Structures are given as structure tokens and as C-alpha cells.
Amino acid sequence: MLPARFTARSFSDWLAGSGSLVGFTPARATKGRRRATGSRAPAPVLALTNRRWSLDFVHDQLVTGRRFRVLNIVDDVTRECIRAVVDTSISGRRVVRELADLVAERGSPKMIVSDNGTELTSNAVLAWSGDAGVEWHYIAPGKPTQNGFVESFNGRMRDELLNETLFFTIGQARSILARWVDDYNTERPHSSLGYATPAAFAAELERQRAGLTPPVASPPLLRDNTGRFLTAAG
């Protein structure tokens, strides 16, 4: 009989004395689902709304200690935060529902950029992007600057709101974040947008789109707020 308790050495001694384990089959190592990985920053895009969205999560907690997440979705050209989803849990299927709602409201983007987190490489997300005909670009692991637009937005949200506010309920958090996002989109001028607000810049692009050939996004549109380029050279 196999001893009830044994160390690695006693197990080896037992095997040597008893010969071999009759009927014993070692467990096979199983391979997990292959995850999508990225390799480089996305290419420049035309200066139009809905050309490319980027998304990422930011985390915080209520005063009770219960943690919650915020899924932020940003239009890379206009810098608008087009959705901020607050909840205690946001799965890949929830991400798909929010994106489907956005597409119904605004139309479909040409590309979505994200890191390769578990929710964003889920089967639900991969299936939706294929069915919707939206290219999903995963940045290289450990290269958050390749997703610099939403990373910059998350940093502002963290510094200006999350670190300065006590949240008592999820409902309160949703209300406060919604007001902050509205102020960010409609009241704050951005130097990278010619000191227009994201909402005003988006409206101007829509007015110019009719009858005009859209230019490739200028260098200011392809840099984050520190001035670093977000697109790979060459």
C-alpha cells in the first residue's frame, strides 16, 4: 500500500522497495486557452470620430472596502470619454454588451485598442469583434504607452476624482463619475485639440466631414499629454 503520508524522499524509497505502481497513470499537463497578445502600437488614423476607440479598466473601492471597477472607453481622435461603466464585476460579456450599445448609438469604430487582460481576450469579445467586423488591436504586454490615450484619461480620473472622493455606494459612484465625465468632455479645453473641449472638437470634425477630404491625424493627435509618440516608428 501507498503510505498515507510521505515526503518526496520516502516516496522514492517506497518505489524502490516495491518495484512500480501498478495501474498508476501520471496526470497529463493540460494547456490553457491561448490568449491574444499584441506586438506594437496601432497605426495613425484619419482625423475622424469613431475611427479608433481605446479602452481600459481603473479600480477603486467603497468606504466599506468593497472594490469596484470602471471600464473607460475613449475616442482616440477626439479624446472624448464615450462611456464609463461602473460596477463591482465587469466580465467579457458585459464588455460586449456595452460596446454593442455604443455602436447602436454612435456607429461602429474601425478599430478598438486594448491590453490583453482576461476580460478583453475572452471568447465573447473575440466573437463579437469578428461578427461586428471591428479590428481589435492588442498592445504589446508591458507597454501601456501604446494605449496612451485611455491610460492618460485613467490617470486624470485617478488623480482628480478617485483619490479625492469617498464613495459609499455603487449608485453614488456611478452618479459622481457620470458628472465628472460630462465635465471632462464638455468643459475642459485640451491643448492637443487646439484648446477645444473634446465635445466641441468632435462636433467640428463632424461639420468638416461633409465635402472635405479628412487629413491624417496630426502629430499632436498622436501624442499623449507628455508629448511622447504613441505610434511605433517604421
Side-chain angles (χ1 to χ4, degrees):
M1 290 182 61
L2 184 68
R5 299 182 64 184
F6 53 84
T7 63
R9 182 174 180 178
S10 65
F11 182 60
S12 298
D13 293 342
W14 179 81
L15 276 178
S18 62
S20 62
L21 287 173
V22 178
F24 174 77
T25 303
R28 289 185 176 181
T30 58
K31 294 183 179 180
R33 178 174 62 85
R34 294 182 64 184
R35 296 178 63 189
T37 58
S39 58
R40 59 179 295 172
V45 294
L46 295 175
L48 292 171
T49 59
N50 276 359
R51 298 300 291 191
R52 188 172 70 207
W53 299 348
S54 58
L55 52 86
D56 197 12
F57 292 96
V58 64
H59 303 77
D60 205 351
Q61 65 181 27
L62 306 177
V63 294
T64 60
R66 189 180 188 187
R67 297 186 63 80
F68 66 85
R69 313 177 77 190
V70 185
L71 170 65
N72 286 323
I73 306 175
V74 171
D75 185 306
D76 286 358
V77 171
T78 68
R79 309 298 175 87
E80 291 175 286
C81 177
I82 54 179
R83 182 146 300 190
V85 182
V86 183
D87 217 328
T88 53
S89 177
I90 302 176
S91 64
R93 291 184 178 181
R94 176 68 180 280
V95 171
V96 165
R97 289 201 302 271
E98 298 295 339
L99 289 173
D101 287 347
L102 267 178
V103 168
E105 294 172 8
R106 301 172 58 92
S108 179
K110 300 298 183 182
M111 177 187 290
I112 294 176
V113 182
S114 77
D115 63 21
N116 60 344
T118 302
E119 301 85 354
L120 305 178
T121 57
S122 66
N123 289 331
V125 166
L126 296 175
W128 177 84
S129 63
D131 293 343
V134 176
E135 180 183 356
W136 198 294
H137 180 93
Y138 292 100
I139 64 172
K143 300 290 185 180
T145 55
Q146 292 182 358
N147 203 15
F149 296 110
V150 73
E151 289 285 346
S152 175
F153 177 82
N154 283 353
R156 285 196 178 191
M157 177 179 281
R158 168 68 61 194
D159 293 341
E160 298 178 11
L161 180 66
L162 301 181
N163 288 346
E164 303 296 325
T165 309
L166 293 177
F167 300 105
F168 292 88
T169 67
I170 289 294
Q172 179 207 28
R174 288 173 178 148
S175 177
I176 291 174
L177 264 75
R179 290 198 300 270
W180 186 89
V181 168
D182 181 69
D183 179 78
Y184 176 89
N185 285 337
T186 62
E187 301 296 334
R188 299 190 187 188
H190 287 241
S191 60
S192 58
L193 303 178
Y195 293 96
T197 66
F201 187 77
E204 180 62 25
L205 287 181
E206 288 298 310
R207 284 192 293 269
Q208 292 180 1
R209 182 166 60 171
L212 294 178
T213 301
V216 173
S218 62
L221 290 176
L222 300 178
R223 294 198 296 262
D224 64 14
N225 290 333
T226 67
R228 293 174 297 183
F229 280 95
L230 301 179
T231 54

